[in-house]
Amino acid sequence: MAEHESLEFGKADFVLLDNVSLEEFMANLKLRFEKGRIYSYIGEVVVSVNPYRAMNIYGRDTIEQYKGRELYERPPHLFAIADAAYKAMKRRNKDTCIVISGESGAGKTEASKYIMQYIAAITNPSQRAEVERVKNMLLKSNCVLEAFGNAKTNRNDNSSRFGKYMDINFDFKGDPIGGHINNYLLEKSRVIFQQEGERSFHSFYQLVKGAPDAQLRSLHIQRDPTAYTYIKVGGQIKSSINDSADFKAVTDAMKVIGFTTEEIQTVYKILATILHLGNLKFGSDGDVTLIENSKLVSVLGDLLSTKDENVEKALLYRTVATGRDVIDKQHTHQEASYGRDALAKAIYERLFCWIVGRINDVIEVKNYDARVHGKNTVIGVLDIYGFEIFQNNSFEQFCINYCNEKLQQLFIQLVLKQEQEEYQREGIPWKHIDYFNNQIIVDLVEQQHKGIFAVLDEACMNVGKVTDEMFLQALNGKLAKHAHYTSRKLSPTDKNLEFDRDFRIRHYAGDVAYSVVGFIDKNKDTLFQDFKRLLYNSSNPVLKAMWPEGKLSITEVTKRPLTAATLFKNSMISLVENLASKEPYYVRCIKPNDVKSPLLFEHERCKHQVEYLGLLENVRVRRAVKRLLQGCGFEHDVAYGKTKVFIRTPRTIFSLEEQRAEMVKRIVLFLQKVWRGTLARMRYRRMRAALIIIRAYRRYKVKSYIREVNRRFKNVRGMKDHGKHVKWPTPPKVLRKFEEALRNIYNRWWAWMLIKDLSPEEMVQIRAKVATLECLKGQRADLGLQRAWEGNYLVSDSPGTASSFTLVSSDLQRKDKFMRVLFSCNVRKINRFNKAEDRALLITDRHLYKMDPVKQYKGGASSIFPLALCAYQDITTCSDQLVVFHTKDNRDLIVCLQGIVPAGDSRIGELVGTVLSHFKSEKRKLQVNIVSPIHCSMNGRKCTVIVETKINQSQPDFTKSRSGYILSVPGN
């Protein structure tokens, strides 16, 4: 259970105050401070009072006490709000931010460091080198940024003189994977001037006091801060900060982050350059401006890696383009001093921005794809300058206080206003709580055409010399009737304001008088182009990279740059939009006294901060328990104690329990819905990933197959066999049908390559062989495909009677009008008297003739039947030359081819193929059967022809059998 603090330490949460009044609030705040309890809650807002002493409440043991706990389970602490932001980010996948606000010296920077320390400590998975590297970088970056962006002021020894917003990126597991830093409005005027009792940026004193002697000699620097004009202006050299030790810590931190040795050396060269610039003195010799201590010019040339004469020229002259002419205009003593100071401020600002950018290069998230690694989330930490009221408030303080107005406006919108509206939406009676709506102040500063920034920009754009006094006059004219603006001209009796110098704004944190001296120059933020070209042309690549605009030619016309006020306004608007898009958590820091005492609690000082921070209004908004009970209608049945609510009757308890049980159901359903949705999304992502992989693999296999086919068959045209020997690659399953089609295409192409040059006569023979192959392949052993088919064998087989056959065939051709001879051969046939006899068979494209060789082939006209009467053919599966022509009138013709030379050859395939090809050319069908025995019809009588092999048989011959006929063929 939670370890609650006893009442001797006051109320840990201001919401539990008995009476919500400013007096009780202040009494409780003072009691907790005096008892060493520097943290308190207002609901989920942490109120932090600067203890001005080291406290042992940030160690590893304390971190473990708050890790994974709810806010109410442990005493108030920064770690609790940090853990709440981390849990919201990790559990609910929400971007969160922690806004740390308060005036200068209230402890904002320390609070941001402890929050960073806690987040780094609770995300410590084992053996995750990259995560540890990122965490180390984020922590080390604080050390470097403080050195170059913080300074001692009269209110705070480690005051942030710039605004910092850091995003820490986490992956879907909650591990830090990177970050990004945005910096706002570095107070660069502090480089050349500090108010009395203050110091410049820490980095200068760290260099002078902490750098090794050899390094100081190389930089021409003495180990004496008072020797340098720029950093002794405030008259405060000593500080509670150990500059010497911090120099080593900062240098080591830069090395850890990833700064190279050359980059670190350049950083310190720039610091040394600024120190030497401050000691540069100008004199006059008549109308000519001179550098009195000219030895420093060579020192500057060495540090900036440029020529001495170029440095001297940039300091004493300004190059001006007048039309096509370019002239060198000499500076007056005042202009030269202004240019020197502007250069010092600009160099330091560029250095600081470069350091921030260099850190971002190292810590930013790289190679992160949300589709692969899941959505990354962000915790933002805002540590920005607090509200400031100095004796002399200039342009920087005006911008800083405007920034605080914007943040206070955000706080009002997101905490006070939204909670009130939520209660009103829920129908719970609400007593209106007044709060200071500082929108009117924000508009006073940033409104277009009417705001102070707009008037300042307009003054800077006017042609001719515009003074700060003229700017003040324009403000008086535009804002004379504004309730929150005044000046001495508008209030002549107010002697706290100077004529033509001061104006006052009624901020939410109090009235602040601003001196307009320097507003115009600081807003223009001008630096002579000669300096930019000088630094761009440096041989030092780091320094050169800081000044890219130095590349521009003097005659080149450029767009007017945005003013410092506009740039700052735009960055603040962007910052507020960024914060508003996240779930905010607040740390409100309070400064207990102005003398940094760990014991003194200045009542009026703290009361003022409580009022302008709106803390009391926040307490009133967050008094939720009583309002909820009233909303449920139980206000007459309860009594409120100090920390408990007492209920009189069981009915109220039962009713509350019923409502709770009903709510639990809704919560469980909600959790189930979220978890099921998460599981479904996980399954979907896995399935989608698998599908993408499968598709990619299939595409790869298909492409690989196509590429391999292309590779193997690329040069088949030049191959002797046109690629017939090439082995086809094994296709993937999805391409098997495609491969079949591809093979068919290839085979057709291959066949075409073989036959494209053949003569018409050869094509006729090819078609006949194809017909034979289609019909008889695998069913007859020898088809005679390898030899040439002569077709008309009666001419070649019987040379002695060839002339007689030729004469007879010619007469028949004239008589019967046939076009060509398909096939002719000597045959042994069975006549109508069932006797075997020798005949000659002539098949033309129209008729089939049976001729008698003994009668010189005459009388064939009587033994003729049209080829169209042939219904089908029968042959056997053996190597015999038997063929039966079945006719439609059942007068079948049974023949056995003979006289074949050589004797072992076969002509059955040629006979069948030639006749089939002819029928096909006339678009008729002819059936060929391979059967044994063959059934036929002789003059209407059914009979059977059987083939038998006889060893002593010299020639094939027919004999009569009981069922028909026997064809006896010679055996082997």
Side-chain angles (χ1 to χ4, degrees), residues 833-878:
F833 304 111
N834 299 321
K835 299 291 184 181
E837 58 186 5
D838 292 330
R839 288 287 186 271
L841 183 67
L842 173 64
I843 303 175
T844 69
D845 54 5
R846 297 190 64 185
H847 298 90
L848 185 148
Y849 299 93
K850 294 173 290 184
M851 299 179 177
D852 189 353
V854 177
K855 298 179 180 180
Q856 300 295 315
Y857 303 105
K858 295 179 180 178
S862 60
S863 301
I864 180 175
F865 68 84
L867 200 59
L869 287 179
C870 183
Y872 60 96
Q873 294 176 338
D874 283 348
I875 60 175
T876 68
T877 58
C878 302

Side-chain angles (χ1 to χ4, degrees), residues 619-660:
V619 173
R620 291 182 178 135
V621 169
R622 293 187 181 272
R623 296 272 281 195
V625 175
K626 184 176 181 180
R627 295 296 184 188
L628 289 174
L629 288 170
Q630 289 176 348
C632 294
F634 301 139
E635 66 271 18
H636 302 299
D637 200 41
V638 298
Y640 299 98
K642 292 183 177 180
T643 61
K644 297 181 180 179
V645 177
F646 295 87
I647 300 175
R648 182 178 297 109
T649 63
R651 177 181 54 82
T652 299
I653 297 177
F654 295 153
S655 179
L656 287 172
E657 283 297 323
E658 288 174 0
Q659 293 184 36
R660 175 185 171 276

Side-chain angles (χ1 to χ4, degrees), residues 98-157:
I98 301 174
V99 180
I100 307 170
S101 57
E103 68 176 58
S104 180
K108 300 186 301 301
T109 299
E110 288 300 306
S112 71
K113 287 195 288 188
Y114 286 128
I115 288 171
M116 288 286 295
Q117 172 190 324
Y118 180 81
I119 292 173
I122 63 173
T123 56
N124 190 23
S126 61
Q127 298 179 350
R128 287 293 302 276
E130 177 61 18
V131 172
E132 286 302 308
R133 186 191 72 84
V134 169
K135 287 160 51 176
N136 199 23
M137 296 295 175
L138 294 173
L139 294 176
K140 291 294 183 183
S141 66
N142 272 335
C143 171
V144 177
L145 292 176
E146 282 190 22
F148 291 89
N150 289 20
K152 179 193 181 307
T153 67
N154 288 319
R155 294 187 171 191
N156 182 5
D157 278 4

Side-chain angles (χ1 to χ4, degrees), residues 369-387:
D369 188 344
R371 295 174 299 179
V372 177
H373 305 108
K375 180 181 182 294
N376 74 56
T377 45
V378 166
I379 294 181
V381 180
L382 177 66
D383 172 20
I384 205 160
Y385 12 61
F387 197 89

Side-chain angles (χ1 to χ4, degrees), residues 554-569:
I554 186 63
T555 57
E556 189 169 346
V557 179
T558 59
K559 188 178 180 181
R560 183 193 295 269
L562 296 177
T563 62
T566 299
L567 289 171
F568 186 69
K569 180 187 73 172

Side-chain angles (χ1 to χ4, degrees), residues 564-683:
T566 299
L567 289 171
F568 186 69
K569 180 187 73 172
N570 293 343
S571 66
M572 285 299 103
I573 292 173
S574 175
L575 172 64
V576 169
E577 289 177 351
N578 187 10
L579 296 175
S581 69
K582 296 176 170 60
E583 184 171 310
Y585 293 83
Y586 288 92
V587 179
R588 310 292 264 174
C589 298
I590 292 178
K591 183 178 182 179
N593 58 74
D594 286 325
V595 294
K596 303 167 187 172
S597 167
L599 303 175
L600 181 61
F601 186 90
E602 293 181 353
H603 186 274
E604 289 302 319
R605 188 80 179 79
C606 296
K607 178 182 175 183
H608 175 67
Q609 294 173 72
V610 168
E611 287 177 334
Y612 76 65
L613 288 173
L615 300 185
L616 196 64
E617 290 83 352
N618 198 8
V619 173
R620 291 182 178 135
V621 169
R622 293 187 181 272
R623 296 272 281 195
V625 175
K626 184 176 181 180
R627 295 296 184 188
L628 289 174
L629 288 170
Q630 289 176 348
C632 294
F634 301 139
E635 66 271 18
H636 302 299
D637 200 41
V638 298
Y640 299 98
K642 292 183 177 180
T643 61
K644 297 181 180 179
V645 177
F646 295 87
I647 300 175
R648 182 178 297 109
T649 63
R651 177 181 54 82
T652 299
I653 297 177
F654 295 153
S655 179
L656 287 172
E657 283 297 323
E658 288 174 0
Q659 293 184 36
R660 175 185 171 276
E662 184 63 30
M663 182 58 68
V664 167
K665 292 179 183 177
R666 292 167 60 186
I667 293 172
V668 169
L669 286 174
F670 174 76
L671 292 175
Q672 288 178 339
K673 178 190 74 172
V674 171
W675 179 239
R676 286 170 179 166
T678 300
L679 290 178
R681 283 188 290 272
M682 289 169 62
R683 284 194 295 267

